[in-house]
């Protein structure tokens, strides 16, 4: 495996919840900054949330209070719990694994579609 693998996307009604998972089986997982990004057609990919090696987190303002990122280093997995979903959360969600140092590795998953109906 050379890239993270996402799962858990799908179709949900507004106000509902989804949990995304991303597995990166490489040994570097525990020393990587793991993040979730999203992209809609015609727009730039944007950061949703990331979690550092010390489990500190960063969230986009648009998801604060609704989404929670977590990691399980024993399972090489990062999660994104998404609650109170809105139609504007509809996007392809990508998992990212990057080095903690500038210029280091930077890997992307292939993405998982999340669609929120109104």
């Amino acid at each position: 495996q050379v890239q993270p693998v996402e799962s858990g996307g799908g179709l949900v009604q507004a106000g509902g919840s989804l949990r995304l998972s991303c597995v990166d089986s490489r040994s570097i997982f525990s020393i990587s900054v793991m993040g979730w990004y999203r992209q809609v057609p015609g727009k730039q990919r944007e950061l949703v949330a990331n979690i550092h090696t010390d489990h500190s987190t960063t969230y986009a303002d648009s998801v604060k209070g609704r989404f929670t990122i977590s990691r399980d280093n024993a399972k090489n997995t990062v999660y994104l719990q998404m609650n109170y979903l809105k139609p504007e959360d509809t996007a392809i969600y990508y998992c990212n694994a990057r080095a903690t140092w500038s210029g280091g590795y930077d890997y992307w998953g292939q993405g998982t579609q999340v669609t929120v109906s109104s």
Side-chain angles (χ1 to χ4, degrees):
Q1 181 183 347
V2 295
Q3 64 184 103
V5 179
E6 304 98 336
S7 62
L11 174 64
V12 64
Q13 287 190 330
S17 299
L18 282 175
R19 188 175 82 154
L20 304 183
S21 300
C22 170
V23 178
D24 186 347
S25 60
R26 291 168 294 190
S27 60
I28 58 173
F29 180 88
S30 64
I31 63 170
S32 300
V33 179
M34 300 300 299
W36 287 98
Y37 291 73
R38 65 188 181 187
Q39 189 171 23
V40 296
K43 292 190 177 181
Q44 286 192 332
R45 192 172 296 186
E46 63 175 5
L47 174 69
V48 176
N50 65 24
I51 184 166
H52 290 253
T53 55
D54 62 357
H55 292 248
S56 61
T57 57
T58 302
Y59 293 94
D61 287 343
S62 59
V63 307
K64 283 181 181 176
R66 301 189 297 123
F67 292 9
T68 302
I69 190 171
S70 61
R71 66 191 297 163
D72 185 339
N73 289 344
K75 295 182 178 180
N76 280 41
T77 303
V78 61
Y79 303 98
L80 185 68
Q81 177 66 44
M82 305 186 293
N83 298 327
Y84 305 106
L85 283 161
K86 304 175 180 180
E88 52 263 44
D89 295 318
T90 295
I92 299 174
Y93 284 69
Y94 296 91
C95 180
N96 174 261
R98 64 173 175 86
T100 57
W101 59 93
S102 177
Y105 59 86
D106 188 6
Y107 300 116
W108 292 91
Q110 291 193 334
T112 185
Q113 177 71 46
V114 171
T115 302
V116 184
S117 62
S118 57

